[in-house]
Amino acid sequence: MADAEGAKRLTGLLNGIAQSSYYGNADITEELLKSELYPDLPADQFRALLEKMRGLLKSIVSADMDINQIDAFLTAQAKKQGGITTEQAAVIAKFWKNHKRKIRESVVSQSRLENNLKSMNWRIDLKSQSRHTDQENSPVAIVEMEIGKNDKESEFVYLEFNEAKINRMLKQLAEVEDSISALTQS
């Protein structure tokens, strides 16, 4: 593993594991990784290497390790009988440094069960005509919210608030803010 080719292969393997395990890419299979990265390695040795790297990456991801934690973890793995080499540890550390944010975002996104607010737009309009003359030229707030998961089709919610509803909502928000302030001061 001391050579640059070995480091490239291990980086490719880690990328393949990340693609299949964390990014949902079903096209990345064990057979594809073996044939592209380790064609000369016997199947049982490749499977052992794959499982070892998959397990290490799973431990690193689940602990959301920072630089100090990963250094300590990989050092311990390198000292362990049947563990990893120091060259492998260096490749894994570099891979994690470069991919931590993206893998973490993917894991968080996959773990969300509920929809989230993807975007919100609003504007203030004036009603120009109405059946009721007292509402003519009164301000109206129009809010458009896009709700959904990142990988799913979104739903759009449209809300319209007249001046009375806006004032009531502002009053309720002020009450919530006062409640929060009271809690934080206690």
Side-chain angles (χ1 to χ4, degrees), residues 1-181:
M1 180 60 70
D3 62 314
E5 184 63 31
K8 283 183 183 179
R9 286 180 181 188
L10 183 56
T11 300
L13 181 63
L14 293 169
N15 274 312
I17 292 168
Q19 285 291 323
S20 65
S21 299
Y22 302 107
Y23 305 144
N25 188 344
D27 295 335
I28 306 296
T29 63
E30 185 176 321
E31 294 78 24
L32 176 70
L33 292 173
K34 182 181 181 334
S35 67
E36 292 293 320
L37 300 171
Y38 296 93
D40 300 331
L41 197 63
D44 60 331
Q45 289 180 8
F46 173 74
R47 191 164 291 110
L49 175 65
L50 178 65
E51 290 307 314
K52 182 186 293 185
M53 293 303 139
R54 190 177 279 149
L56 289 172
L57 197 54
K58 183 177 180 181
S59 296
I60 292 166
V61 170
S62 64
D64 194 23
M65 293 184 187
D66 63 24
I67 298 299
N68 295 331
Q69 290 171 320
I70 196 164
D71 284 342
F73 176 72
L74 293 174
T75 300
Q77 292 297 316
K79 290 180 180 178
K80 197 163 93 174
Q81 179 106 18
I84 59 174
T85 65
T86 54
E87 292 85 6
Q88 287 175 325
V91 170
I92 294 167
K94 183 178 179 183
F95 173 83
W96 182 242
K97 180 182 174 193
N98 293 332
H99 293 86
K100 177 182 178 176
R101 184 185 57 77
K102 189 173 178 185
I103 290 174
R104 184 180 185 288
E105 287 173 358
S106 176
V107 169
V108 168
S109 174
Q110 291 172 17
S111 66
R112 284 193 182 125
L113 298 177
E114 74 281 346
N115 292 331
N116 55 18
L117 181 64
K118 293 171 81 173
S119 70
M120 184 172 104
N121 298 309
W122 64 275
R123 68 177 190 271
I124 304 292
D125 286 346
L126 289 176
K127 274 194 174 182
S128 59
Q129 72 180 43
S130 175
R131 291 183 192 160
H132 309 288
T133 57
D134 60 337
Q135 288 187 349
E136 215 168 291
N137 292 327
S138 63
V140 175
I142 299 175
V143 179
E144 175 187 285
M145 295 183 285
E146 182 181 3
I147 300 172
K149 286 194 167 208
N150 292 339
D151 57 345
K152 304 283 186 204
E153 193 172 312
S154 299
E155 293 181 21
F156 290 88
V157 177
Y158 298 94
L159 305 170
E160 186 175 307
F161 297 97
N162 63 19
E163 190 173 2
K165 288 179 182 175
I166 290 173
N167 288 333
R168 188 173 21 178
M169 185 175 63
L170 290 173
K171 182 181 174 194
Q172 289 174 339
L173 287 173
E175 290 171 2
V176 169
E177 189 175 338
D178 291 344
S179 298
I180 292 172
S181 295

